[in-house]
Amino acid sequence: MIFASTGRVTLKFLRSTGELALFMTKTLSHCVKPPFYFKSLLNQMIEIGFYSLPVVALTTLFSGMVIALQSYSGLSSFSSEGVVASVVELTITRELGPVLAALMVAGRVGARMAAEIGTMRVTEQIDALTTLSTNPYKYLIVPRVLAGIFMLPVLVLIGDIIGIFGGYLISIYKLDFNSANYLRNTWNFLRSIDIYSGMTKASVFGFIVTMLGCYNGYHSRGGAEGVGSATTNAVVASSILILVSNYWLTELFFAR
């Protein structure tokens, strides 16, 4: 009984992994072949980028504030308050900026994509597109994936600025730091690799969020219940893969 259950779970996992690999391969192949639906791509860029900006901005702002408070609390014991600016900058640009932005986008955009495409699947709208000689991959999947890859780095860049600004506000107006010294320390510790690594992570996370959202929606079955399951699976799987891939990308950029 135990071996049978283990075998069923293993086979289901392998089947899902294979389906996802095929789905990813088809999507990537259609990204470079015409026709291209630029209007749909623009709409998705606005949806992912512009409409996700408020939640990303709020998340990074308060994260920067909390980092400043916590780092000051710990570093003051060692008379090292001067490195608070560098701690905020490094934490936001390398880790929390990309990860938090991706998790927020996964909860907002990934779930929406899974629900939208899943509803189209169960109501046979995707089959209708095929009947009308419109490739559903090119019309539905490719614009969303490309928009995620392009727009999440923009969100992360803006979030980095806002997060560092949040740390600045707390440091200046609550912890009584000197404004000029704080800004000078932030600029002196900032390195290009911090920005590039965060942007690279953001592109990978954008691909993960949109790909899993589209995949789960595209393969949803069973009416409203199936759409709900697809939405849940998209958010959970995206969040897990974001955290796992974050480790490996950090290992790639900063391991010595």
Side-chain angles (χ1 to χ4, degrees):
M1 183 65 69
I2 296 177
F3 293 109
S5 300
T6 304
R8 282 194 296 269
V9 172
T10 303
L11 289 175
K12 183 178 180 180
F13 173 76
L14 293 176
R15 182 171 60 251
S16 299
T17 303
E19 289 179 351
L20 178 59
L22 291 175
F23 184 85
M24 189 184 307
T25 302
K26 287 184 179 180
T27 301
L28 292 176
S29 67
H30 285 299
C31 286
V32 296
K33 294 188 299 186
F36 302 107
Y37 296 92
F38 292 106
K39 183 178 180 180
S40 180
L41 174 61
L42 179 61
N43 290 335
Q44 292 302 321
M45 291 175 72
I46 295 173
E47 176 64 34
I48 295 174
F50 182 76
Y51 291 117
S52 297
L53 184 57
V55 66
V56 172
L58 282 174
T59 302
T60 52
L61 175 66
F62 285 99
S63 296
M65 292 179 174
V66 170
I67 294 168
L69 283 174
Q70 292 284 22
S71 58
Y72 178 82
S73 176
L75 293 170
S76 60
S77 302
F78 305 97
S79 301
S80 302
E81 300 91 339
V83 299
V84 169
S86 64
V87 171
V88 173
E89 179 268 317
L90 288 175
T91 307
I92 290 293
T93 57
R94 290 188 180 185
E95 297 299 329
L96 285 188
V99 172
L100 289 177
L103 291 175
M104 292 300 103
V105 171
R108 182 189 175 276
V109 176
R112 182 180 183 276
M113 289 182 180
E116 184 177 6
I117 297 177
T119 302
M120 295 181 69
R121 168 59 73 187
V122 299
T123 56
E124 300 182 351
Q125 295 181 51
I126 294 179
D127 297 331
L129 286 175
T130 305
T131 303
L132 295 172
S133 300
T134 300
N135 190 313
Y137 279 88
K138 298 196 71 66
Y139 186 73
L140 296 176
I141 312 301
V142 170
R144 288 168 167 81
V145 173
L146 291 179
I149 294 173
F150 294 149
M151 294 310 299
L152 203 58
V154 177
L155 285 174
V156 168
L157 182 60
I158 297 174
D160 288 346
I161 297 171
I162 295 174
I164 293 174
F165 178 68
Y168 169 84
L169 290 177
I170 292 297
S171 299
I172 301 306
Y173 296 106
K174 184 175 179 61
L175 303 178
D176 296 325
F177 277 57
N178 180 273
S179 177
N181 289 337
Y182 187 92
L183 292 175
R184 187 182 305 109
N185 289 337
T186 300
W187 180 257
N188 289 338
F189 278 104
L190 183 64
R191 296 188 301 162
S192 58
I193 186 63
D194 300 334
I195 304 298
Y196 297 151
S197 64
M199 297 297 99
T200 303
K201 287 182 177 182
S203 292
V204 175
F205 297 161
F207 176 78
I208 290 173
V209 169
T210 53
M211 182 62 67
L212 288 176
C214 293
Y215 167 78
N216 283 281
Y218 195 84
H219 289 89
S220 62
R221 298 289 187 274
E225 183 178 356
V227 174
S229 298
T231 303
T232 302
N233 292 337
V235 176
V236 172
S238 297
S239 301
I240 293 173
L241 281 181
I242 285 168
L243 297 175
V244 172
S245 61
N246 179 59
Y247 168 78
W248 291 111
L249 289 170
T250 302
E251 181 85 12
L252 176 65
F253 279 107
F254 301 108
R256 294 292 185 267

